[in-house]
Every structure is written in C-alpha cells, then in structure tokens.
Amino acid sequence: MAALRSPRRSVLADQVIAELRRQISSGEWPVGSRIPTEPELVEQLGVARNTVREAVRALAHNGLLDIRQGSGTYVVATSELAGVMHRRFADAEHRHIAEVRSTLESSAARLAAVRRTERDLEQLEELLARREETWRTRDAEAFVAADVNLHLAVVAASHNEVLLGLYADLGAVLRAFLRQDVGRELRAESYMDHHLLVDAIRAGDAEMAATEAASYAFKCRPEHTPAHSG
C-alpha cells in the first residue's frame, strides 16, 4: 500500500478514509474480518496515529466498522448504505427479514438460471463445496460466511446490478439473521442441502431455482421460529 502524503490533516484524513473504504468495498477486508491494528495502519499508510484514528472513527460512525475495545476493529458493512441498513433493520422481526430474503433470492435465482455463465457455474460449484466443507468441520461462523457467499454468488449470477447492489447492502442484516438461526453450534436437523438450487441454475430451470431459493428462508428451526440458514 503506497504511503499517503498531504500537508493538511483534514485532506490527509479524507485520503485515509477513502483508502480504508476501498479495501472494505473491494473485499480485501471482508465483512466480519478484523482490520489491521492502528500501528500497522500507521506503518502501511505512512501517516500519523491521530489521522488513522480519525479515519477509523469516521468509518465506524458511518456504520462500516465496529470498534470493539480489547478485541480490535471489525468490518460490519461494505458501504455507508449497508451500514445504515444494518442499524435500521437490526431489530426487525425475524419473519420480515425472511420475507425480504425470500423475495430477493427467488427473483435472483430465476434470473440466474437464464443468464448464468460458465464462470458463474464454476463459482457456484466452488462455493457449494466450501459450504459443505465448513459444515463438516462444525465451524458455525465459517459456515455462515460460506452460506452467505454462496447466496451472494447466486444473486451475482442474475447479472442484475441493481438487484446485486440491494442484496449486498442488506448483507450485514442477512448475515446477522443467519447467525441467529444457526446459533453457536451446527445441528444436524437444521442442515439444508443446496445442491438442488445449483443444479436447477445449471439446468436453466428458472422455476425450480426460484422455488428452491425461496424455500430456504422459511424452513423452520426446531424451536419453530421461521428461517434458519440457507
């Protein structure tokens, strides 16, 4: 990362904010990951500690970062809008999140079955395998991340930039929704096979793809609350 130089602190802080935002939005620092420590950022960017601190606090205020005392600073959203979405809907009813998720994902899957490319199919197969692997390792947090990435890839395969943007901006809300349903431990009774979804997209069966995608959001957990992971 090239050092950033400017004679004015306010301009320099803006440059640091822009650089940190770029690394977040590009996926270099994925949602849920911990960003480099303050001393590491100072060294990477070649700026003063106060400038780094100012930039991090600004992005935390905008909802992209979460500063956790004693633990570090974590990425919680990929854009300011995503941060707003997370704060706005953090306490939304479980059923309402499930309904929105079902609507977006079923529409995306229907389009993906028609528009997917060979590269899209390769990506879906890779992410499906990753999801299966994390399930076998019983790592709940890794499973949630793999599950979210698979569904995001389905939406991306729709090749509808507006739909993808909306889904990405709701990413933190959906991730929290899945994490709540999955819980701290993976349970055999809550497993959902996603091979049918990927198979339907590969076969170009739009209706089956849409039906499969819509069903995941409303599968009940053993405690009878709507939607778990899918």
Side-chain angles (χ1 to χ4, degrees), residues 112-198:
V114 176
R115 299 176 178 175
R116 86 290 185 278
T117 65
E118 286 303 314
R119 178 60 191 135
D120 291 330
L121 292 175
E122 291 174 6
Q123 181 79 354
L124 289 172
E125 291 290 353
E126 291 172 7
L127 292 173
L128 179 61
R130 174 59 181 161
R131 183 179 184 272
E132 295 294 304
E133 178 186 346
T134 57
W135 179 268
R136 288 192 295 270
T137 63
R138 318 309 288 176
D139 185 334
E141 189 61 30
F143 177 75
V144 168
D147 192 63
V148 169
N149 288 338
L150 175 59
H151 284 276
L152 183 59
V154 170
V155 179
S158 73
H159 295 279
N160 182 314
E161 293 301 320
V162 177
L163 183 56
L164 179 59
L166 287 172
Y167 191 84
D169 285 334
L170 280 168
V173 178
L174 297 176
R175 185 174 283 100
F177 169 84
L178 294 174
R179 187 178 292 110
Q180 176 186 350
D181 275 348
V182 169
R184 295 183 179 180
E185 296 182 1
L186 299 178
R187 303 178 305 274
E189 64 271 19
S190 63
Y191 175 75
M192 292 185 192
D193 191 336
H194 280 31
H195 286 84
L196 286 177
L197 172 61
V198 175

Side-chain angles (χ1 to χ4, degrees), residues 203-217:
D205 190 334
E207 291 309 311
M208 177 60 74
T211 299
E212 280 296 311
S215 70
Y216 298 136

Side-chain angles (χ1 to χ4, degrees), residues 3-212:
L4 303 175
R5 304 293 182 188
S6 173
R8 295 176 52 200
R9 176 192 284 187
S10 60
V11 173
L12 188 55
D14 287 342
Q15 290 180 4
V16 173
I17 289 170
E19 174 60 21
L20 301 186
R21 184 186 288 113
R22 182 195 68 76
Q23 296 202 58
I24 293 169
S25 62
S26 69
E28 290 182 41
W29 296 342
V31 171
S33 68
R34 183 172 62 182
I35 71 170
T37 64
E38 193 173 274
E40 289 171 336
L41 289 174
V42 167
E43 182 177 354
Q44 290 173 12
L45 297 169
V47 298
R49 183 182 293 263
N50 286 344
T51 303
V52 168
R53 190 171 299 159
E54 181 180 348
V56 169
R57 286 176 176 171
L59 291 175
H61 177 74
N62 289 347
L64 276 71
L65 298 175
D66 180 24
I67 302 171
R68 303 174 190 172
Q69 295 301 323
S71 177
T73 300
Y74 293 80
V75 179
V76 294
T78 56
S79 70
E80 277 79 0
L81 180 55
V84 170
M85 292 282 202
H86 187 213
R87 293 194 299 273
R88 172 65 178 82
F89 299 116
D91 298 323
E93 286 188 31
H94 206 82
R95 172 174 55 88
H96 292 168
I97 298 296
E99 289 169 351
V100 170
R101 183 185 175 213
S102 175
T103 299
L104 291 177
E105 292 188 6
S106 61
S107 295
R110 178 179 283 106
L111 292 172
V114 176
R115 299 176 178 175
R116 86 290 185 278
T117 65
E118 286 303 314
R119 178 60 191 135
D120 291 330
L121 292 175
E122 291 174 6
Q123 181 79 354
L124 289 172
E125 291 290 353
E126 291 172 7
L127 292 173
L128 179 61
R130 174 59 181 161
R131 183 179 184 272
E132 295 294 304
E133 178 186 346
T134 57
W135 179 268
R136 288 192 295 270
T137 63
R138 318 309 288 176
D139 185 334
E141 189 61 30
F143 177 75
V144 168
D147 192 63
V148 169
N149 288 338
L150 175 59
H151 284 276
L152 183 59
V154 170
V155 179
S158 73
H159 295 279
N160 182 314
E161 293 301 320
V162 177
L163 183 56
L164 179 59
L166 287 172
Y167 191 84
D169 285 334
L170 280 168
V173 178
L174 297 176
R175 185 174 283 100
F177 169 84
L178 294 174
R179 187 178 292 110
Q180 176 186 350
D181 275 348
V182 169
R184 295 183 179 180
E185 296 182 1
L186 299 178
R187 303 178 305 274
E189 64 271 19
S190 63
Y191 175 75
M192 292 185 192
D193 191 336
H194 280 31
H195 286 84
L196 286 177
L197 172 61
V198 175
D199 288 347
I201 292 173
R202 184 191 302 106
D205 190 334
E207 291 309 311
M208 177 60 74
T211 299
E212 280 296 311

